[in-house]
Amino acid sequence: MNCLEERIARDGVVKEGNVLKVDSFLNHQMDINLFDQMGAEFKKRFEGKNINKILTIEASGIGIACVVARHFNVPVVFAKKAKSINIDGDVYIAEVESFTHKRKNQVIVSKSFLTSDDHVLIIDDFLANGCALQGLISIVNQAGGTVEGIGIAIEKGFQMGGQMIRNLGYQLESLAIVEGMDPATGEVKFREQ
Amino acid sequence: MNCLEERIARDGVVKEGNVLKVDSFLNHQMDINLFDQMGAEFKKRFEGKNINKILTIEASGIGIACVVARHFNVPVVFAKKAKSINIDGDVYIAEVESFTHKRKNQVIVSKSFLTSDDHVLIIDDFLANGCALQGLISIVNQAGGTVEGIGIAIEKGFQMGGQMIRNLGYQLESLAIVEGMDPATGEVKFREQ
C-alpha cells in the first residue's frame, strides 16, 4: 500500500451509499505532508512529460494541486464555479455535475490563463463518474492545449469515470483506486497497481 | 517593496469600483513560488507563536494556506460554503457576506477539526470589509480555540476591515496594504510597513 492507501485504510470512514469520507486529511482538514508525498509520487508517474501548468477545480482540488505543483515548478489554474463579477467575459465554460452535491454547475477558466501553448496536468481529489474531469478536459481542448496527464487522489474504481477516461487514451494516474467499501465493517478494498 | 507588492505593481489590474484584479498570480492562476515566499514571510512575522493549525475559507484562500502551511508544518482546515451532503451535522457555522459576489453564505467547519486545543493561524487572500475574517474568528471562538494570528495577502487599507480587526487586538499581518488605486493610470499605492 502507498501512503494514501494506508491513510484511507486508517482514517477513511465508509458510509452507506458508496460514500467515503476522507475529510480528516484530504478535503476539509488537509494533511500537507501527505499532499507533499502525493506530489512526489505524481512527479515520478509523469516523469518525462512536458508539463507547464496544473489545472484543477474548486474547491477541494486546489490544496492538493498547489502542493503537487511545487514538484513540477509550475503555476496552478483552478476552474471556478461561474458566479464571480470579477471574471471577464472571455472565459472557457464547461458544465459539471457534482456527484456529492447532485447539482450542475458551470465552471469557467479565463482565456488569459490557458492557451494552445499549454501542456497541462489535471489534478483532482476524487474521480467517480468523471463529470468534473470531462469538464476540465473540455476546457483544455477549448484552449487548444494538450492534456499531458491526469492525477487523481482517490478513484472509485467501481464507477465508470476512470475506465472511460483511460479508453479515451489519457494517462490517468490515481494514487488509490477503491474497488469496494463495506459500511458494516468499514473495510476499503483497493485495486492492485 | 516586498515580493507581493512588486508583483501587484507589475501584474495587478485596477478596475473601476475599487476592484483590484490579481487573478494572473493570486486567485485564479496561482504562482506557487510567490506563495512559498509569502509563507516564509508569514513564518517570520509570526515567529514564536505556538501555531498548530491553519484555518482558511474556500475557494481562493485554500491554495495560499496550503503552501504557507509547509512553513509551519501544520494541517490546514478550510471553512466550506454550506451545501455538502458529506458534512456531518456537527459543525460550527458562521455567516459571511462576500464583497465580490454581493451575497451571504453560511460557512461551516466540522467540530471534529477544530477544538479548544487548537492554536490557529487564519490565512486568506483578501481583506476588505472583514466579513470573511469575522466569520473565521467566530468559528475559532465557537470551538474555544485561540486565534494566534491572521495572515492576509492583500488588505484594502481604505476599507474598515483591517482597522476593526486590529482594534480587537489580533495580530493581523497583511503582506500588501493597498491605500489607493487609480483606474485611469493603473497605479497602486501601498501603505509603508
Side-chain angles (χ1 to χ4, degrees):
Chain A
M1 285 207 287
N2 64 37
C3 58
L4 180 59
E5 291 169 329
E6 278 171 15
R7 191 60 174 274
I8 294 166
R10 197 183 80 198
D11 293 333
V13 177
V14 179
K15 299 262 188 184
E16 292 290 345
N18 280 330
V19 171
L20 176 62
K21 280 177 67 91
V22 288
D23 56 0
S24 66
F25 57 94
L26 199 79
N27 52 17
H28 184 15
Q29 182 165 252
M30 298 179 287
D31 181 333
I32 306 303
N33 290 328
L34 175 67
F35 289 7
D36 203 42
Q37 291 176 286
M38 290 163 54
E41 179 65 25
F42 281 133
K43 178 69 183 166
K44 213 186 310 175
R45 295 198 187 190
F46 294 105
E47 197 62 66
K49 291 272 184 167
N50 169 28
I51 290 162
N52 75 318
K53 197 162 281 185
I54 285 177
L55 178 67
T56 187
I57 185 167
E58 72 169 72
S60 42
I62 299 174
I64 299 170
C66 285
V67 177
V68 168
R70 289 190 59 259
H71 292 266
F72 292 86
N73 198 26
V74 299
V76 175
V77 173
F78 70 91
K80 297 189 169 201
K81 288 163 191 161
K83 63 185 175 196
S84 174
I85 60 166
N86 261 5
I87 293 267
D88 287 331
D90 242 11
V91 294
Y92 307 113
I93 302 180
E95 191 131 299
V96 170
E97 190 170 6
S98 164
F99 174 78
T100 314
H101 306 125
K102 316 279 186 211
R103 69 160 81 155
K104 282 189 185 179
N105 286 305
Q106 282 191 327
V107 298
I108 56 180
V109 169
S110 167
K111 291 187 179 174
S112 309
F113 307 134
L114 210 54
T115 74
S116 57
D117 293 333
D118 282 320
H119 293 259
V120 178
L121 173 62
I122 295 174
I123 294 282
D124 206 3
D125 59 339
F126 263 99
L127 167 56
N129 58 24
C131 270
L133 269 191
Q134 290 159 29
L136 293 176
I137 291 169
S138 158
I139 282 172
V140 177
N141 288 340
Q142 288 172 51
T146 307
V147 176
E148 292 287 347
I150 299 165
I152 298 291
I154 303 176
E155 176 182 338
K156 289 179 168 173
F158 51 87
Q159 290 191 241
M160 289 303 298
Q163 190 186 330
M164 179 269 299
I165 298 284
R166 290 185 182 94
N167 286 347
L168 289 169
Y170 293 106
Q171 183 185 351
L172 165 63
E173 300 286 346
S174 300
L175 300 185
I177 302 178
V178 175
E179 289 291 19
M181 301 181 275
D182 186 339
T185 64
E187 201 196 349
V188 180
K189 197 164 169 291
F190 298 105
R191 185 182 301 173
E192 293 278 347
Q193 297 201 59
Chain B
M1 286 206 288
N2 64 35
C3 58
L4 179 59
E5 291 169 329
E6 280 171 13
R7 190 60 173 275
I8 294 165
R10 198 183 78 196
D11 294 332
V13 177
V14 179
K15 301 262 188 184
E16 292 291 345
N18 280 330
V19 171
L20 176 61
K21 279 176 69 87
V22 288
D23 56 0
S24 65
F25 57 95
L26 200 79
N27 53 15
H28 185 15
Q29 182 165 250
M30 298 180 287
D31 182 332
I32 306 303
N33 290 327
L34 175 67
F35 289 8
D36 202 44
Q37 290 175 286
M38 289 161 55
E41 179 65 25
F42 282 133
K43 178 69 182 163
K44 211 185 313 175
R45 294 198 187 190
F46 294 107
E47 198 61 66
K49 291 273 184 166
N50 169 28
I51 289 162
N52 75 319
K53 197 162 280 186
I54 286 177
L55 178 66
T56 187
I57 185 167
E58 73 168 73
S60 42
I62 298 174
I64 299 169
C66 285
V67 177
V68 168
R70 290 188 60 258
H71 292 266
F72 292 86
N73 198 26
V74 298
V76 175
V77 173
F78 70 91
K80 297 188 170 203
K81 288 162 191 162
K83 64 184 172 194
S84 175
I85 59 166
N86 262 5
I87 293 268
D88 287 333
D90 243 11
V91 295
Y92 307 113
I93 301 180
E95 191 130 300
V96 169
E97 189 169 8
S98 164
F99 174 77
T100 313
H101 307 125
K102 315 280 187 211
R103 68 161 82 156
K104 281 188 187 180
N105 286 304
Q106 282 192 327
V107 297
I108 57 180
V109 169
S110 167
K111 290 186 179 174
S112 309
F113 308 134
L114 210 54
T115 75
S116 57
D117 293 333
D118 282 320
H119 294 259
V120 179
L121 174 62
I122 295 174
I123 295 282
D124 205 2
D125 58 339
F126 263 98
L127 168 58
N129 58 25
C131 270
L133 270 191
Q134 290 158 30
L136 293 176
I137 292 169
S138 158
I139 281 173
V140 178
N141 288 340
Q142 288 171 52
T146 308
V147 176
E148 292 287 347
I150 299 165
I152 298 291
I154 304 175
E155 177 182 338
K156 288 178 168 173
F158 51 87
Q159 290 191 240
M160 289 304 296
Q163 190 187 328
M164 179 268 300
I165 297 285
R166 290 186 181 92
N167 285 347
L168 288 168
Y170 294 105
Q171 184 185 351
L172 166 62
E173 300 286 346
S174 301
L175 299 186
I177 302 177
V178 175
E179 289 291 18
M181 300 181 275
D182 186 338
T185 64
E187 201 196 349
V188 179
K189 198 166 168 290
F190 297 104
R191 186 182 300 173
E192 292 280 347
Q193 296 200 60

